[in-house]
């Protein structure tokens, strides 16, 4: 990032010295799934557009690019109402998708879609910070995991647990495709006082959380904690211009790819090293 821009952004963020009271911090974190379920109750399938851009950003999603199996398997975490699923299924006729979300209502919308075919898509409710993915998906069986604008909805202290969970179902050499909000993004700089829970973590008006990532944070989560190999990890910028509202700024995202070790023993060892303490002080065991 440009040094001058970073300095201005840090100056803006430094002005917000207040944080949400501890009681409300804990409440927002504990009710993350509930608040997203309320979001989908209000907005149904009308809020987000289908993500037809994902194969341009991630070549792994193009037909036959990385997948070597006859029936490649993909898991989308935080599937919402399926805006990623439908374009990718159409583009890859041999692909099988598992899709999960911690909002039961969102998963219900996926299953109700006319494009939902049980032999190619299996959607299920799962909180990836505590519900074991391997209870639904065989361990070491997934070629690609898409994590697109989902980790930002998780409290920071639970993010590494989610990485460990995902690592268990990745094939040796399987990849995680990651895109999310970057630190100093326009949306972060626009939060008014009273929305900050902690550094880089905010609560929106509707109670949903939004975390803003640095590339170093991703490296800590996926490489140092998760034992995965970093293939790509960088900021990406999108110019936002609205003449009517006198807006000329850049959206900042982080985009990355991480790969599971080639042998399953390394994956299992990485998982053993990344069992974290939960808020109650108990070790998180991904086997339970």
């Amino acid at each position: 990032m440009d040094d001058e821009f970073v300095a201005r952004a840090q100056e803006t963020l430094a002005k917000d010295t207040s944080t949400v009271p501890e009681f409300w911090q804990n409440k927002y974190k504990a009710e993350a799934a509930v608040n997203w379920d309320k979001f989908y109750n209000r907005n149904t399938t009308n809020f987000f557009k289908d993500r037809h851009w994902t194969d341009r950003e991630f070549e792994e999603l193009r037909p036959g690019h990385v997948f070597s199996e006859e029936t490649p398997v993909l898991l989308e975490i935080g599937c919402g109402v399926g805006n990623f699923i439908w374009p990718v299924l159409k583009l890859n006729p041999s692909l099988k998708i598992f899709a999960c979300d911690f909002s039961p209502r969102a998963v219900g919308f996926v299953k109700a879609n006319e494009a939902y075919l049980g032999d190619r898509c299996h959607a299920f409710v799962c909180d990836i910070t505590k519900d074991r993915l391997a209870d639904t998906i065989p361990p070491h069986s997934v070629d690609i995991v898409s994590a697109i604008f989902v980790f930002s909805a998780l409290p920071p202290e639970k993010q590494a647990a989610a990485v460990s969970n995902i690592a268990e179902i990745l094939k040796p050499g399987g990849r995680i495709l990651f895109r999310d909000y970057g630190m100093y993004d326009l949306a972060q700089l626009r939060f008014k006082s009273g929305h900050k829970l902690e550094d880089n973590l905010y609560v929106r008006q509707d109670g949903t959380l939004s975390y803003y990532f640095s590339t170093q944070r991703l490296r800590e989560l996926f490489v140092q904690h998760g034992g995965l190999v970093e293939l790509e990890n960088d900021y990406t910028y999108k110019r936002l211009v609205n003449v009517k509202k006198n807006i000329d700024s850049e959206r900042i995202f982080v985009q990355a790819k991480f790969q599971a070790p080639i042998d399953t023993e390394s994956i299992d060892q990485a998982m053993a090293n990344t069992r974290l303490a939960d808020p109650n002080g108990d070790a998180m065991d991904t086997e339970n």
Side-chain angles (χ1 to χ4, degrees):
M1 294 186 195
D2 177 77
D3 290 343
E4 186 178 341
F5 168 78
V6 170
R8 290 199 309 269
Q10 290 176 338
E11 182 180 354
T12 298
L13 295 179
K15 293 177 182 177
D16 187 5
T17 58
S18 64
T19 55
V20 173
E22 185 178 359
F23 169 83
W24 286 101
Q25 289 187 36
N26 294 334
K27 184 175 174 64
Y28 287 131
K29 290 179 179 182
E31 297 181 356
V34 172
N35 288 326
W36 274 105
D37 209 51
K38 291 178 179 177
F39 171 90
Y40 289 114
N41 182 45
R42 288 191 303 272
N43 297 289
T44 66
T45 61
N46 300 318
F47 193 84
F48 299 111
K49 297 179 180 178
D50 282 354
R51 293 171 172 168
H52 293 282
W53 51 267
T54 54
D55 63 300
R56 296 196 300 270
E57 297 292 335
F58 298 107
E59 58 190 11
E60 289 85 350
L61 299 176
R62 300 169 196 165
H65 182 79
V66 164
F67 303 127
S68 59
E69 301 293 331
E70 187 175 331
T71 304
V73 178
L74 181 147
L75 165 65
E76 188 194 15
I77 56 173
C79 65
V81 298
N83 301 103
F84 168 88
I85 298 171
W86 316 127
V88 171
L89 277 176
K90 186 175 181 180
L91 192 64
N92 296 274
S94 64
L95 180 66
K96 179 175 181 178
I97 288 186
F98 288 96
C100 69
D101 200 285
F102 59 9
S103 164
R105 199 174 300 272
V107 173
F109 283 126
V110 171
K111 290 183 175 181
N113 193 296
E114 61 181 12
Y116 183 80
L117 302 174
D119 59 336
R120 295 194 61 203
C121 185
H122 176 65
F124 60 103
V125 178
C126 178
D127 182 340
I128 60 170
T129 67
K130 62 181 182 180
D131 301 330
R132 190 183 180 211
L133 287 166
D135 288 341
T136 302
I137 305 169
H140 312 311
S141 66
V142 173
D143 296 280
I144 296 289
V145 173
S146 64
I148 299 177
F149 297 107
V150 58
F151 267 76
S152 54
L154 306 177
E157 64 271 18
K158 296 183 179 182
Q159 291 169 358
V163 173
S164 299
N165 199 1
I166 294 167
E168 186 179 15
I169 52 83
L170 269 179
K171 282 182 180 177
R175 295 184 179 184
I176 298 174
L177 310 180
F178 185 100
R179 184 177 172 109
D180 220 317
Y181 302 111
M183 197 163 59
Y184 309 138
D185 178 48
L186 176 64
Q188 180 182 17
L189 300 179
R190 282 183 161 185
F191 272 111
K192 296 180 179 178
S193 182
H195 290 266
K196 182 179 176 182
L197 276 69
E198 57 189 79
D199 286 348
N200 299 321
L201 179 65
Y202 298 80
V203 61
R204 301 186 183 94
Q205 201 69 37
D206 61 4
T208 59
L209 300 179
S210 186
Y211 184 84
Y212 295 83
F213 287 91
S214 67
T215 54
Q216 179 57 36
R217 172 64 177 168
L218 291 189
R219 192 166 294 119
E220 291 171 358
L221 284 172
F222 290 92
V223 179
Q224 296 175 18
H225 289 293
L228 303 177
V229 178
E230 180 183 300
L231 301 179
E232 295 179 13
N233 183 13
D234 208 348
Y235 297 100
T236 182
Y237 305 90
K238 182 178 180 181
R239 191 80 176 273
L240 178 64
V241 178
N242 188 319
V243 177
K244 262 188 163 182
K245 296 183 178 180
N246 195 29
I247 295 174
D248 185 356
S249 188
E250 281 186 327
R251 297 301 309 269
I252 301 175
F253 308 110
V254 281
Q255 187 160 305
K257 298 178 186 179
F258 301 96
Q259 187 167 10
I262 298 302
D263 61 291
T264 57
E265 188 176 326
S266 297
I267 300 175
D268 292 335
Q269 183 58 49
M271 288 175 54
N273 292 337
T274 54
R275 290 172 185 167
L276 300 182
D278 70 14
N280 297 318
D282 298 324
M284 175 181 173
D285 190 336
T286 55
E287 297 299 318
N288 296 321

